[in-house]
Amino acid sequence: MPARVTSDAFIGRRVELAQLDAALTNATAGSAGLVFVAGESGIGKSRLTDHFSERAKAGGARVLWGDCIDLGDSELPYAPLVSALRSLVRQGHPVFDALGTQRSELARLLPELGTPGDLIVEPYAGSAQGRLFELLLVLFEKLSEESTVLLVIDDLHWADRSTRDFLAFLARNICRQRLLVVSTFRIDELHRRHPLRPFLAEIERTERASRVPVERFTPDEIEEQVAAILGSKPDDDLLDRVWARSEGNPLFAEEILAAEREGDGTLPESLRDALMLRVEALGDVTQEALRWVSAAQRIEHDVLEEASGLDPRELRDALREAVAHHVLASQFDGRIAFRHALLREAVYDDLLPGEHGELHLRLATVLEDRLSGTPSVGLDRAAEIAHHFDAAGDRPAALRTAVRAAYTAECVHAEGEAAVFYERALVLWDRVEAPEALAGYDHVELLARAASAHQFDYSRCIHLLKHALNELDQEAEPGRAALLLERLGKARWNSGKGQIALEAWDAALALLPAQPPSEERAQLLAAKASGLMLWGRYSDALAMADEALEVADAVGSRRVRTHALNTKGVCLRGGGETSRGFATIREAMAMARADANVDQLLRAYLNLSDALHLTGDTHAARKLLIEGRREVRELGRHAKWLAIQQAEIAYDLGFWDEADELVPLELGRGTQGTTRVFYELTRASLSLGRGDNADARERLVVARDLVARSYEPQWHAPITAMLAGLERRERNIGAARAAIRTGLERLTDTEALADGARLARIYSSAAGVEADAAQQARDLGRPEDEAAAIAAAADYADKTREAASRPFAAAMPEAAAMVLVADAEAMAATGTPDPELWARAADAWAAIDRPFRVARVRWREADAALMAGDRARAEAAGSDALALAQRLGAAWVVEELTSLARRGRLRFQKPPKVVPSVTATATAAAAAASHALPLDPAAELGLTRRERDVLALVAQGRTNRQIGEELFMAEKTASVHVSRILAKLDVRSRTEAAAVAHRLGIEGSDDDTPIAVA
């Protein structure tokens, strides 16, 4: 009988088990979660997880276990999920029947469920994979209704991209399910560019995820482990040797001990040597069987028997020996695998170069032969065969099976894994004879399929499509070329390259004759109409949408008709036909719902909610989006755009916590193109509102760069306005002007732009920038600069009014409010701000429930009233602004109001709550760095150092006596200093002097000075 080499006793890990138990308790109570068990190789992660699983099972939980498989450069899509769910299928669990018609969709993953059905794929789908994820989530929810579900995913460092994406999806969508996902991974596998690194960085920020680190054993725990293996207390010398060499690694300690007892007494130099000592002590047939298992990683007994050619009786005896010596273990699905991955790696690495190819080729051949006569290839089997042929160096077979594996991955929308196999096929293409016969199609089609697999990697997708078009004879195959160009245009548009996207669609249309009508032409017309609509060219888009409808009706394509109606509705609204536009979008929505066209249903929800929002019915828009997200979820789709749009609207309505929940940090993971732009802008709005300038700037720069080649006003208007506002806040007048200039340049022909509402937003922001420039020039005594800025502010106010009068903006209350803001800014530029103008703007924003904008203009009204000497109005407006800013958590507005109250000695209705600000130290530094202000504005104004100190206290609202006490001077001396300061600043009162100090950053801070309470 072989000596025991592992401990039957579970040793230590009390803290780790307590953390896992707590997570399971929370899950059982209806708070789902994800736990990542992390540690170095051989540290006992799987042992800990296995022990925890047994405890969970004893407590009534359902345990599902899946392993990630290391296939080198290949990836096995959803490997741990397939393994975990397969046991349920074989048990005939009724949960699959409860899925109804959706059961057949899962058969793509689990052929045991029966004949696979087609997963619904919409032609413009943002993520067909999302439908599968929703279906899997429903499955786990139904299982958790019976009992708590523990899903264990072992060796996550080998996980395929689809599995990682599914876990990310779970982190965002689990809530009250009785579900706990525990994943293990090796920390020593995570090199700098390992894909698990960014995944963990995002997921572990969520409240649903946590990490349980597994550390090395202590000397006492090593002693307990050795004693459990030996059955008695070890002598001190042996214990010292095991501890010294293993350094607390439990697996290494086992192997060191085994080498001491079964070897020649020579201690191994490395863990690999120790592992091979155990293998080399086994019989010859056993070692041969281990070589086959090391190449296969996990294998069925009959496959191993056929592939190895070993005598069946000898093979059974060999496997028993390997199991008895704790080298192999039988998995829950009946396959044979190594007890520990490190053991497999040691055996596999010991193979001779020629043995690698021989073993892999034989395994591939046996597995391939078993597929003869079967109607379809299983997902896991297709990937395994492709991997073995590639590892064997059989290039023709590797090409053929790589294409097949890519197709099977596509069937379950595992685009990342499909892309890997298509890329491998592209590499092999020129290295084999007759590749078309092996692949089943030509190189152009392979490039096109690879591009589809890279649909969310826009740069690679564009590169592959351009190569396909270069190889294709476009005159001989115009229809095929047109469809490639249509896809190229879509990829370019999604990557923010609007102009060249339209050029691709134009080139495609030129290839397709108008007669006879075709669905391909209708699809292209609808695509271009959508692009022109997003570009703000509503008249051109409307004409093209009508043409698309005409062709779609001629060929009977409801799919294209729905798409074109969606676009037409927005264009009608843009042309001022609001009611007709709404009705047209609702018609598109009804058609999409009737046809189960989820993509166009999503688009209709987005278009209609946006139109409602812009026309001032924002609460209705929010309600519509909530309904849309519910309906789309029921249809098996998770839509980022709907969530982000609801977050944008929630932000405008002042529901900032709701917006936070809708666009969590992990939502941005993996998003590209315009989806990333929308996400970054929404997060930037929240950061700006709360005063986190650094985060807002970083996000706005990312968004600006992503749409550098786009002409869409829906992006450039908010980017420009927010960047200009950020620079204004930090007194960077030059940078604010540059942001306005860049935004207008990117909109190209602003005179012809129909989207006047968004153009009005830019012009209104520009008027504010010039108002600040005029005031700064006035404060510093630069009359020429002041006059130029006053004129520019008035010009921008006129342009705001003109833009707001265009048809698309005429019925939009937001555009009208922008005009009032611009008028108030233009008047402020003259040095005589009118509080009444600011009050009108506040009323306009209040009428459509925009609390943050109300707070900002009420603050400006209070400032203007103070300058006009109307203290009562200043206090009333300031109190309103303060209440709103505190409710929202708008730290920087609270900070501005606090400063206004101090320097004006105002008494607001309520004392401010303490709202942390991240801008206080950044403002002066940013102003100095930009050179918008002189490095020392006090010196330019001719103030002495002493006068600067006095002015800073004036800005805090201190009296002459208080200034004297703080600066150790007589009250009369302080009065003389104040008089000189007023003369040098050319102002008439202390309040005006304090305002100058605030605008130029010449003020201190005094947290002990409260806003006076009425």
Side-chain angles (χ1 to χ4, degrees):
M1 178 178 292
R4 185 191 301 167
V5 294
T6 61
S7 169
D8 290 334
F10 184 78
I11 296 166
R13 310 305 187 202
R14 293 181 181 84
V15 173
E16 294 89 340
L17 271 176
Q19 291 175 279
L20 291 169
D21 286 340
L24 184 63
T25 300
N26 290 337
T28 302
S31 180
L34 296 92
V35 177
F36 298 96
V37 178
E40 64 184 77
S41 304
I43 206 68
K45 304 178 296 297
S46 298
R47 181 74 182 273
L48 167 66
T49 308
D50 185 59
H51 183 74
F52 168 66
S53 299
E54 291 299 322
R55 287 158 56 104
K57 187 184 297 182
R62 177 182 296 280
V63 179
L64 303 175
W65 189 294
D67 299 282
C68 300
I69 307 299
D70 178 18
L71 292 184
D73 293 333
S74 305
E75 289 190 323
L76 182 56
Y78 306 110
L81 297 175
V82 171
S83 297
L85 295 175
R86 184 163 278 149
S87 60
L88 285 177
V89 179
R90 291 173 177 172
Q91 294 168 17
H93 197 285
V95 69
F96 297 103
D97 295 329
L99 294 175
T101 58
Q102 293 178 312
R103 173 191 171 103
S104 63
E105 297 183 22
L106 272 186
R108 291 287 180 185
L109 273 182
L110 301 159
E112 296 91 339
L113 286 175
T115 304
D118 293 329
L119 283 172
I120 297 174
V121 185
E122 293 77 34
Y124 305 98
S127 175
Q129 189 182 56
R131 180 177 176 83
L132 176 62
F133 287 177
E134 291 284 357
L135 183 55
L136 288 170
L137 180 58
V138 169
L139 178 68
F140 285 119
E141 284 177 343
K142 289 183 179 298
L143 284 172
S144 71
E145 291 172 1
E146 300 176 5
S147 61
T148 304
V149 177
L150 171 61
L151 172 62
V152 179
I153 297 179
D154 207 12
D155 293 325
L156 191 63
H157 47 276
W158 288 327
D160 57 285
R161 196 182 83 175
S162 292
T163 295
R164 295 194 302 270
D165 288 344
F166 178 65
L167 288 179
F169 171 83
L170 282 182
R172 294 191 299 268
N173 291 279
I174 55 176
C175 184
R176 304 301 300 173
Q177 300 89 346
R178 294 193 296 168
L179 171 66
L180 178 64
V181 182
V182 176
S183 304
T184 71
F185 70 92
R186 296 183 192 171
I187 56 175
D188 45 342
E189 287 277 346
L190 303 192
H191 53 77
R192 186 170 58 88
R193 304 182 71 176
H194 196 289
L196 198 61
R197 276 185 176 273
F199 166 82
L200 291 170
E202 291 293 340
I203 297 302
E204 290 183 336
R205 292 175 186 169
T206 67
E207 63 178 11
R208 298 282 175 188
S210 61
R211 180 181 292 200
V212 174
V214 182
E215 306 295 342
R216 295 186 176 193
F217 276 173
T218 65
D220 289 343
E221 289 170 333
I222 287 289
E223 180 178 2
E224 187 178 352
Q225 178 190 20
V226 173
I229 294 172
L230 297 177
S232 61
K233 180 177 174 59
D235 63 70
D236 292 341
D237 289 342
L238 173 62
L239 188 60
D240 288 344
R241 290 197 301 274
V242 173
W243 167 255
R245 185 57 57 84
S246 70
E247 297 180 332
N249 184 296
L251 179 63
F252 204 180
E254 288 179 359
E255 301 305 326
I256 293 294
L257 185 60
E260 282 253 344
R261 301 172 69 197
E262 299 180 9
D264 59 4
T266 304
L267 290 180
E269 291 296 326
S270 67
L271 178 56
R272 180 185 175 280
D273 292 339
L275 293 168
M276 287 306 298
L277 280 175
R278 183 187 310 183
V279 171
E280 290 164 359
L282 302 174
D284 291 342
V285 176
T286 304
Q287 292 188 47
E288 178 66 10
L290 293 178
R291 295 185 188 99
W292 284 97
V293 178
S294 74
Q297 296 206 43
R298 54 180 187 171
I299 190 170
E300 297 91 339
H301 183 101
D302 57 338
V303 175
L304 175 59
E305 181 179 307
E306 182 179 351
S308 67
L310 294 172
D311 178 78
R313 185 181 184 88
E314 290 183 347
L315 176 60
R316 286 195 298 272
D317 291 341
L319 293 178
R320 286 195 183 96
E321 182 184 21
V323 170
H325 283 80
H326 304 280
V327 175
L328 293 181
S330 179
Q331 294 189 312
F332 61 91
D333 60 358
R335 295 189 181 189
I336 303 162
F338 277 83
R339 184 178 67 85
H340 197 285
L342 288 175
L343 271 167
R344 188 201 71 81
E345 293 167 14
V347 174
Y348 187 75
D349 290 344
D350 197 56
L351 293 174
L352 297 173
E355 286 182 296
H356 283 95
E358 177 186 338
L359 295 176
H360 283 293
L361 182 59
R362 179 60 181 159
L363 286 166
T365 303
V366 170
L367 293 173
E368 180 91 340
D369 290 344
R370 287 171 171 250
L371 295 178
S372 60
T374 58
S376 61
V377 184
L379 183 68
D380 50 353
R381 193 63 88 201
E384 283 182 297
I385 293 171
H387 163 69
H388 287 311
F389 274 126
D390 187 61
D394 186 338
R395 291 175 178 174
L399 172 61
R400 174 176 55 81
T401 56
V403 167
R404 184 176 63 190
Y407 173 75
T408 60
E410 284 179 329
C411 287
V412 289
H413 307 298
E415 290 92 355
E417 292 72 24
V420 170
F421 285 113
Y422 278 131
E423 292 286 359
R424 180 181 299 168
L426 286 169
V427 171
L428 292 168
W429 190 271
D430 293 329
R431 302 179 183 181
V432 300
E433 294 182 4
E436 293 88 350
L438 294 168
Y441 42 73
D442 63 13
H443 195 243
V444 171
E445 179 65 16
L446 177 59
L447 288 165
R449 292 186 178 217
S452 294
H454 283 292
Q455 62 178 304
F456 299 118
D457 182 354
Y458 300 127
S459 60
R460 183 60 180 163
C461 179
I462 291 169
H463 176 78
L464 292 167
L465 288 171
K466 288 169 70 175
H467 270 275
L469 285 162
N470 288 336
E471 291 185 13
L472 186 67
D473 185 342
Q474 299 187 25
E475 292 184 4
E477 299 183 83
R480 191 179 183 191
L483 290 178
L484 288 173
L485 283 165
E486 190 268 338
R487 290 168 58 190
L488 177 62
K490 182 182 178 183
R492 284 173 168 173
W493 190 275
N494 287 336
S495 63
K497 300 172 182 177
Q499 178 62 46
I500 58 175
L502 292 174
E503 291 172 1
W505 289 329
D506 284 337
L509 286 168
L511 291 170
L512 295 176
Q515 295 297 330
S518 64
E519 185 170 11
E520 291 83 359
R521 183 173 178 81
Q523 182 174 321
L524 278 162
L525 289 167
K528 186 178 179 184
S530 176
L532 290 170
M533 176 267 289
L534 291 171
W535 202 351
R537 291 168 53 180
Y538 298 117
S539 298
D540 295 338
L542 181 59
M544 190 150 288
D546 280 335
E547 186 179 354
L549 285 168
E550 183 179 343
V551 179
D553 289 343
V555 298
S557 176
R558 283 177 60 88
R559 175 176 61 83
V560 178
R561 178 174 178 77
T562 306
H563 186 193
L565 281 173
N566 240 327
T567 300
K568 182 176 181 177
V570 178
C571 295
L572 288 170
R573 170 68 193 90
E577 299 184 62
T578 303
S579 298
R580 190 179 167 204
F582 281 3
T584 303
I585 298 173
R586 290 188 187 280
E587 182 183 353
M589 182 180 287
M591 286 187 65
R593 185 176 290 119
D595 297 344
N597 187 339
V598 183
D599 183 64
Q600 287 302 322
L601 183 63
L602 274 168
R603 193 161 169 255
Y605 270 116
L606 290 167
N607 288 339
L608 187 56
S609 62
D610 188 56
L612 288 168
H613 178 46
L614 292 174
T615 51
D617 200 353
T618 304
H619 286 282
R622 175 174 172 267
K623 181 180 178 182
L624 182 71
L625 285 168
I626 293 172
E627 293 173 357
R629 292 178 64 226
R630 175 192 52 75
E631 180 176 5
V632 168
R633 182 182 175 87
E634 289 175 355
L635 292 171
R637 281 280 295 280
H638 173 72
K640 286 185 180 180
W641 271 77
L642 286 178
I644 300 172
Q645 185 139 312
Q646 186 182 332
E648 179 188 48
I649 285 175
Y651 166 81
D652 280 344
L653 289 173
F655 305 147
W656 289 5
D657 288 341
E658 176 183 319
D660 255 336
E661 292 177 2
L662 289 164
V663 285
L665 295 177
E666 64 271 14
L667 185 63
R669 177 181 173 270
T671 58
Q672 299 183 55
T674 51
T675 306
R676 176 73 181 276
V677 174
F678 197 11
Y679 168 80
E680 295 294 351
L681 287 180
T682 307
R683 290 293 332 171
S685 297
L686 286 164
S687 294
L688 273 177
R690 289 168 172 156
D692 190 346
N693 288 5
D695 183 71
R697 183 182 296 280
E698 182 179 340
R699 295 185 182 281
L700 288 171
V701 169
V702 169
R704 181 193 63 193
D705 292 346
L706 284 171
V707 294
R709 300 180 67 182
S710 169
Y711 300 128
E712 293 183 59
Q714 68 169 327
W715 305 133
H716 292 302
I719 290 172
T720 302
M722 284 194 279
L723 273 175
L726 175 59
E727 303 296 358
R728 284 184 69 189
R729 194 183 298 180
E730 296 187 345
R731 302 188 180 95
N732 303 332
I733 300 300
R737 282 171 164 165
I740 296 292
R741 204 162 44 243
T742 299
L744 291 173
E745 288 171 355
R746 289 186 174 179
L747 290 178
T748 62
D749 188 3
T750 56
E751 296 300 321
L753 183 65
D755 195 344
R758 292 187 170 103
L759 186 59
R761 182 175 180 180
I762 296 179
Y763 284 142
S764 183
S765 296
V769 171
E770 294 303 326
D772 283 4
Q775 186 62 62
Q776 187 180 108
R778 190 159 41 249
D779 290 340
L780 295 172
R782 300 172 181 171
E784 293 182 2
D785 292 345
E786 178 188 355
I790 291 172
D795 181 56
Y796 279 129
D798 290 340
K799 288 181 176 178
T800 306
R801 183 172 291 100
E802 187 278 327
S805 67
R806 297 180 187 184
F808 183 64
M812 290 189 178
E814 275 205 357
M818 293 292 182
V819 173
L820 294 173
V821 171
D823 286 342
E825 294 285 17
M827 180 58 70
T830 67
T832 55
D834 186 349
E836 185 58 33
L837 291 178
W838 287 114
R840 292 175 191 169
D843 291 343
W845 288 123
I848 54 175
D849 206 355
R850 302 289 192 274
F852 182 49
R853 292 186 182 274
V854 173
R856 288 164 59 185
V857 292
R858 286 289 185 214
W859 153 51
R860 298 295 300 277
E861 179 190 352
D863 194 16
L866 181 62
M867 290 185 67
D870 190 345
R871 296 179 61 81
R873 182 169 193 162
E875 289 178 342
S879 296
D880 289 346
L882 183 62
L884 285 171
Q886 287 179 332
R887 176 172 69 80
L888 295 170
W892 73 277
V893 177
V894 172
E895 190 175 283
E896 291 286 356
L897 287 163
T898 302
S899 177
L900 177 65
R902 284 171 180 157
R903 66 179 185 266
R905 307 299 293 174
L906 298 176
R907 298 172 63 83
F908 291 160
Q909 289 291 331
K910 295 180 181 179
K913 299 176 182 177
V914 178
V915 181
S917 172
V918 297
T919 62
T921 57
T923 300
S930 70
H931 295 278
L933 286 171
L935 292 177
D936 188 355
E940 181 165 323
L941 292 169
L943 299 179
T944 65
R945 184 174 186 82
R946 195 62 163 167
E947 287 169 346
R948 187 213 179 283
D949 294 340
V950 172
L951 179 57
L953 293 174
V954 169
Q956 294 177 23
R958 303 298 178 84
T959 64
N960 288 343
R961 187 180 65 179
Q962 290 171 328
I963 292 171
E965 291 174 352
E966 187 152 342
L967 298 181
F968 304 102
M969 63 175 66
E971 181 178 352
K972 186 174 181 180
T973 304
S975 176
V976 171
H977 279 304
V978 171
S979 297
R980 288 176 179 170
I981 290 169
L982 296 180
K984 288 182 179 181
L985 298 184
D986 193 23
V987 296
R988 293 169 296 177
S989 67
R990 299 168 69 98
T991 300
E992 291 181 21
V996 171
H998 175 68
R999 288 190 294 266
L1000 297 181
I1002 311 173
E1003 58 178 338
S1005 62
D1006 187 354
D1007 294 335
D1008 295 329
T1009 304
I1011 295 178
V1013 184

